[in-house]
mmCIF file of all heavy atoms in Angstrom:
data_model
loop_
_atom_site.group_PDB
_atom_site.id
_atom_site.type_symbol
_atom_site.label_atom_id
_atom_site.label_comp_id
_atom_site.label_asym_id
_atom_site.label_seq_id
_atom_site.Cartn_x
_atom_site.Cartn_y
_atom_site.Cartn_z
ATOM 1 N N MET A 1 14.883 23.748 8.442
ATOM 2 C CA MET A 1 14.796 22.301 8.667
ATOM 3 C C MET A 1 14.887 21.582 7.321
ATOM 4 O O MET A 1 14.204 21.975 6.369
ATOM 5 C CB MET A 1 13.474 21.955 9.369
ATOM 6 C CG MET A 1 13.276 20.466 9.606
ATOM 7 S SD MET A 1 11.686 20.116 10.431
ATOM 8 C CE MET A 1 11.980 20.922 12.010
ATOM 9 N N PRO A 7 13.103 12.346 -3.201
ATOM 10 C CA PRO A 7 12.880 12.395 -4.650
ATOM 11 C C PRO A 7 11.923 11.290 -5.092
ATOM 12 O O PRO A 7 11.743 10.283 -4.404
ATOM 13 C CB PRO A 7 14.281 12.171 -5.233
ATOM 14 C CG PRO A 7 15.220 12.495 -4.120
ATOM 15 C CD PRO A 7 14.514 12.138 -2.859
ATOM 16 N N ARG A 9 10.810 8.135 -7.175
ATOM 17 C CA ARG A 9 11.511 6.959 -7.702
ATOM 18 C C ARG A 9 10.579 6.178 -8.627
ATOM 19 O O ARG A 9 9.418 5.928 -8.283
ATOM 20 C CB ARG A 9 11.961 6.041 -6.563
ATOM 21 C CG ARG A 9 12.954 6.663 -5.602
ATOM 22 C CD ARG A 9 13.129 5.753 -4.389
ATOM 23 N NE ARG A 9 13.656 4.444 -4.755
ATOM 24 C CZ ARG A 9 13.540 3.343 -4.013
ATOM 25 N NH1 ARG A 9 12.876 3.391 -2.868
ATOM 26 N NH2 ARG A 9 14.053 2.207 -4.409
ATOM 27 N N HIS A 12 9.027 0.439 -10.914
ATOM 28 C CA HIS A 12 8.752 -0.603 -11.896
ATOM 29 C C HIS A 12 8.284 0.045 -13.194
ATOM 30 O O HIS A 12 7.392 0.900 -13.174
ATOM 31 C CB HIS A 12 7.656 -1.564 -11.402
ATOM 32 C CG HIS A 12 7.994 -2.262 -10.127
ATOM 33 N ND1 HIS A 12 8.822 -3.364 -10.068
ATOM 34 C CD2 HIS A 12 7.612 -2.001 -8.851
ATOM 35 C CE1 HIS A 12 8.928 -3.760 -8.808
ATOM 36 N NE2 HIS A 12 8.215 -2.947 -8.057
ATOM 37 N N ASN A 30 5.691 5.920 2.704
ATOM 38 C CA ASN A 30 5.744 5.692 1.269
ATOM 39 C C ASN A 30 4.379 5.955 0.642
ATOM 40 O O ASN A 30 3.365 5.446 1.103
ATOM 41 C CB ASN A 30 6.151 4.251 0.964
ATOM 42 C CG ASN A 30 7.610 3.988 1.285
ATOM 43 O OD1 ASN A 30 8.453 4.876 1.154
ATOM 44 N ND2 ASN A 30 7.917 2.782 1.709
ATOM 45 N N ASP A 49 0.914 12.450 3.419
ATOM 46 C CA ASP A 49 1.259 13.795 3.897
ATOM 47 C C ASP A 49 1.772 14.586 2.712
ATOM 48 O O ASP A 49 2.071 14.021 1.653
ATOM 49 C CB ASP A 49 2.324 13.702 4.991
ATOM 50 C CG ASP A 49 2.442 14.991 5.806
ATOM 51 O OD1 ASP A 49 1.477 15.781 5.820
ATOM 52 O OD2 ASP A 49 3.497 15.206 6.427
ATOM 53 N N ARG A 55 0.936 15.479 -5.386
ATOM 54 C CA ARG A 55 0.531 15.896 -6.734
ATOM 55 C C ARG A 55 1.709 15.835 -7.699
ATOM 56 O O ARG A 55 1.549 15.435 -8.864
ATOM 57 C CB ARG A 55 -0.070 17.303 -6.690
ATOM 58 C CG ARG A 55 -1.420 17.350 -5.955
ATOM 59 C CD ARG A 55 -2.169 18.642 -6.255
ATOM 60 N NE ARG A 55 -1.466 19.802 -5.733
ATOM 61 C CZ ARG A 55 -1.651 20.280 -4.501
ATOM 62 N NH1 ARG A 55 -2.470 19.677 -3.668
ATOM 63 N NH2 ARG A 55 -1.002 21.351 -4.100
ATOM 64 N N ASP A 64 5.314 8.476 -18.596
ATOM 65 C CA ASP A 64 5.217 7.018 -18.694
ATOM 66 C C ASP A 64 4.172 6.556 -19.696
ATOM 67 O O ASP A 64 4.099 5.370 -20.006
ATOM 68 C CB ASP A 64 4.866 6.417 -17.324
ATOM 69 C CG ASP A 64 5.890 6.762 -16.255
ATOM 70 O OD1 ASP A 64 7.029 7.090 -16.606
ATOM 71 O OD2 ASP A 64 5.526 6.706 -15.061
ATOM 72 N N ILE A 84 -2.862 9.287 6.422
ATOM 73 C CA ILE A 84 -4.055 9.975 5.918
ATOM 74 C C ILE A 84 -3.980 11.496 6.018
ATOM 75 O O ILE A 84 -4.962 12.179 5.734
ATOM 76 C CB ILE A 84 -5.323 9.479 6.662
ATOM 77 C CG1 ILE A 84 -5.206 9.724 8.174
ATOM 78 C CG2 ILE A 84 -5.567 7.993 6.375
ATOM 79 C CD1 ILE A 84 -6.473 9.360 8.960
ATOM 80 N N VAL A 90 -5.901 16.251 -0.926
ATOM 81 C CA VAL A 90 -5.788 15.681 -2.273
ATOM 82 C C VAL A 90 -7.170 15.409 -2.847
ATOM 83 O O VAL A 90 -7.416 15.642 -4.043
ATOM 84 C CB VAL A 90 -4.923 14.402 -2.251
ATOM 85 C CG1 VAL A 90 -4.885 13.760 -3.644
ATOM 86 C CG2 VAL A 90 -3.505 14.716 -1.797
ATOM 87 N N ALA A 93 -8.586 18.674 -4.023
ATOM 88 C CA ALA A 93 -7.930 19.174 -5.227
ATOM 89 C C ALA A 93 -8.303 18.387 -6.472
ATOM 90 O O ALA A 93 -8.328 18.935 -7.578
ATOM 91 C CB ALA A 93 -6.410 19.144 -5.036
ATOM 92 N N GLU A 109 -12.975 8.432 8.148
ATOM 93 C CA GLU A 109 -13.947 9.512 7.986
ATOM 94 C C GLU A 109 -13.929 10.446 9.194
ATOM 95 O O GLU A 109 -13.964 11.678 9.052
ATOM 96 C CB GLU A 109 -15.346 8.935 7.787
ATOM 97 C CG GLU A 109 -16.413 10.002 7.624
ATOM 98 C CD GLU A 109 -17.814 9.435 7.494
ATOM 99 O OE1 GLU A 109 -17.958 8.195 7.407
ATOM 100 O OE2 GLU A 109 -18.773 10.240 7.494
ATOM 101 N N VAL A 118 -15.822 3.409 -1.736
ATOM 102 C CA VAL A 118 -15.730 1.957 -1.888
ATOM 103 C C VAL A 118 -15.162 1.363 -0.605
ATOM 104 O O VAL A 118 -14.095 1.787 -0.142
ATOM 105 C CB VAL A 118 -14.835 1.577 -3.081
ATOM 106 C CG1 VAL A 118 -14.728 0.057 -3.202
ATOM 107 C CG2 VAL A 118 -15.384 2.181 -4.371
ATOM 108 N N HIS A 122 -11.538 -8.453 2.132
ATOM 109 C CA HIS A 122 -10.642 -9.499 1.648
ATOM 110 C C HIS A 122 -11.312 -10.292 0.527
ATOM 111 O O HIS A 122 -12.472 -10.686 0.630
ATOM 112 C CB HIS A 122 -10.265 -10.436 2.790
ATOM 113 C CG HIS A 122 -9.431 -11.595 2.334
ATOM 114 N ND1 HIS A 122 -8.139 -11.431 1.883
ATOM 115 C CD2 HIS A 122 -9.723 -12.921 2.231
ATOM 116 C CE1 HIS A 122 -7.660 -12.623 1.540
ATOM 117 N NE2 HIS A 122 -8.591 -13.536 1.734
ATOM 118 N N GLY A 123 -10.550 -10.500 -0.542
ATOM 119 C CA GLY A 123 -11.062 -11.243 -1.679
ATOM 120 C C GLY A 123 -11.649 -10.389 -2.778
ATOM 121 O O GLY A 123 -11.930 -10.891 -3.870
ATOM 122 N N ARG A 139 -5.663 -8.398 9.027
ATOM 123 C CA ARG A 139 -6.206 -7.856 10.282
ATOM 124 C C ARG A 139 -5.199 -7.971 11.427
ATOM 125 O O ARG A 139 -4.582 -9.020 11.591
ATOM 126 C CB ARG A 139 -7.478 -8.627 10.643
ATOM 127 C CG ARG A 139 -8.563 -8.557 9.591
ATOM 128 C CD ARG A 139 -9.547 -9.682 9.723
ATOM 129 N NE ARG A 139 -8.913 -10.977 9.458
ATOM 130 C CZ ARG A 139 -9.569 -12.131 9.416
ATOM 131 N NH1 ARG A 139 -10.879 -12.158 9.642
ATOM 132 N NH2 ARG A 139 -8.932 -13.267 9.170
ATOM 133 N N TYR A 150 -0.845 -6.477 -7.307
ATOM 134 C CA TYR A 150 -0.916 -6.345 -8.769
ATOM 135 C C TYR A 150 -0.157 -7.504 -9.383
ATOM 136 O O TYR A 150 1.006 -7.738 -9.043
ATOM 137 C CB TYR A 150 -0.313 -5.016 -9.232
ATOM 138 C CG TYR A 150 -0.254 -4.895 -10.742
ATOM 139 C CD1 TYR A 150 -1.403 -4.593 -11.466
ATOM 140 C CD2 TYR A 150 0.933 -5.111 -11.436
ATOM 141 C CE1 TYR A 150 -1.361 -4.503 -12.853
ATOM 142 C CE2 TYR A 150 0.976 -5.026 -12.817
ATOM 143 C CZ TYR A 150 -0.178 -4.726 -13.525
ATOM 144 O OH TYR A 150 -0.139 -4.641 -14.898
ATOM 145 N N GLU A 151 -0.822 -8.224 -10.280
ATOM 146 C CA GLU A 151 -0.199 -9.366 -10.940
ATOM 147 C C GLU A 151 -0.062 -9.085 -12.435
ATOM 148 O O GLU A 151 -1.054 -9.131 -13.170
ATOM 149 C CB GLU A 151 -1.021 -10.629 -10.720
ATOM 150 C CG GLU A 151 -1.102 -11.058 -9.266
ATOM 151 C CD GLU A 151 -1.697 -12.441 -9.092
ATOM 152 O OE1 GLU A 151 -1.011 -13.442 -9.417
ATOM 153 O OE2 GLU A 151 -2.849 -12.521 -8.637
ATOM 154 N N PRO A 152 1.151 -8.792 -12.901
ATOM 155 C CA PRO A 152 1.341 -8.579 -14.329
ATOM 156 C C PRO A 152 1.187 -9.889 -15.097
ATOM 157 O O PRO A 152 1.298 -10.978 -14.531
ATOM 158 C CB PRO A 152 2.784 -8.049 -14.423
ATOM 159 C CG PRO A 152 3.419 -8.365 -13.138
ATOM 160 C CD PRO A 152 2.370 -8.635 -12.119
ATOM 161 N N GLN A 174 1.460 -3.780 18.977
ATOM 162 C CA GLN A 174 1.528 -3.191 20.323
ATOM 163 C C GLN A 174 1.516 -4.253 21.430
ATOM 164 O O GLN A 174 0.874 -4.074 22.462
ATOM 165 C CB GLN A 174 0.389 -2.181 20.499
ATOM 166 C CG GLN A 174 0.509 -1.012 19.530
ATOM 167 C CD GLN A 174 -0.630 -0.038 19.646
ATOM 168 O OE1 GLN A 174 -1.789 -0.428 19.751
ATOM 169 N NE2 GLN A 174 -0.303 1.256 19.627
ATOM 170 N N VAL A 194 -0.255 -18.165 -0.665
ATOM 171 C CA VAL A 194 -0.971 -17.915 -1.916
ATOM 172 C C VAL A 194 -0.036 -17.484 -3.043
ATOM 173 O O VAL A 194 -0.191 -17.925 -4.195
ATOM 174 C CB VAL A 194 -2.058 -16.841 -1.701
ATOM 175 C CG1 VAL A 194 -2.720 -16.445 -3.022
ATOM 176 C CG2 VAL A 194 -3.105 -17.339 -0.710
ATOM 177 N N GLY A 212 10.141 -14.496 -0.687
ATOM 178 C CA GLY A 212 11.217 -15.478 -0.576
ATOM 179 C C GLY A 212 12.268 -15.100 0.439
ATOM 180 O O GLY A 212 12.795 -15.958 1.155
ATOM 181 N N GLU A 214 11.749 -13.370 3.121
ATOM 182 C CA GLU A 214 11.178 -13.391 4.469
ATOM 183 C C GLU A 214 10.700 -14.775 4.905
ATOM 184 O O GLU A 214 10.636 -15.055 6.111
ATOM 185 C CB GLU A 214 10.013 -12.398 4.545
ATOM 186 C CG GLU A 214 10.347 -10.980 4.114
ATOM 187 C CD GLU A 214 11.516 -10.381 4.874
ATOM 188 O OE1 GLU A 214 11.623 -10.625 6.089
ATOM 189 O OE2 GLU A 214 12.325 -9.667 4.243
ATOM 190 N N HIS A 217 12.052 -16.936 7.835
ATOM 191 C CA HIS A 217 12.017 -16.356 9.175
ATOM 192 C C HIS A 217 10.630 -16.397 9.814
ATOM 193 O O HIS A 217 10.460 -15.891 10.935
ATOM 194 C CB HIS A 217 12.515 -14.915 9.116
ATOM 195 C CG HIS A 217 13.853 -14.783 8.465
ATOM 196 N ND1 HIS A 217 15.014 -15.237 9.053
ATOM 197 C CD2 HIS A 217 14.210 -14.290 7.241
ATOM 198 C CE1 HIS A 217 16.038 -15.007 8.237
ATOM 199 N NE2 HIS A 217 15.572 -14.442 7.146
ATOM 200 N N GLY A 219 8.944 -18.731 11.243
ATOM 201 C CA GLY A 219 8.942 -19.384 12.552
ATOM 202 C C GLY A 219 9.513 -18.496 13.639
ATOM 203 O O GLY A 219 9.008 -18.487 14.772
ATOM 204 N N ARG A 224 8.781 -15.152 18.578
ATOM 205 C CA ARG A 224 9.045 -13.925 19.335
ATOM 206 C C ARG A 224 7.766 -13.123 19.584
ATOM 207 O O ARG A 224 7.734 -12.267 20.480
ATOM 208 C CB ARG A 224 10.081 -13.078 18.595
ATOM 209 C CG ARG A 224 9.559 -12.356 17.388
ATOM 210 C CD ARG A 224 10.658 -11.714 16.546
ATOM 211 N NE ARG A 224 10.068 -10.930 15.483
ATOM 212 C CZ ARG A 224 10.749 -10.465 14.432
ATOM 213 N NH1 ARG A 224 12.045 -10.718 14.310
ATOM 214 N NH2 ARG A 224 10.149 -9.753 13.500
#
Side-chain angles (χ1 to χ4, degrees):
M1 178 180 295
R9 297 170 61 201
H12 300 280
N30 289 327
D49 196 22
R55 292 196 295 271
D64 301 338
I84 59 175
V90 176
E109 179 183 354
V118 179
H122 176 68
R139 301 159 295 185
Y150 175 77
E151 296 191 73
Q174 297 178 317
V194 174
E214 306 305 321
H217 307 290
R224 75 190 186 194

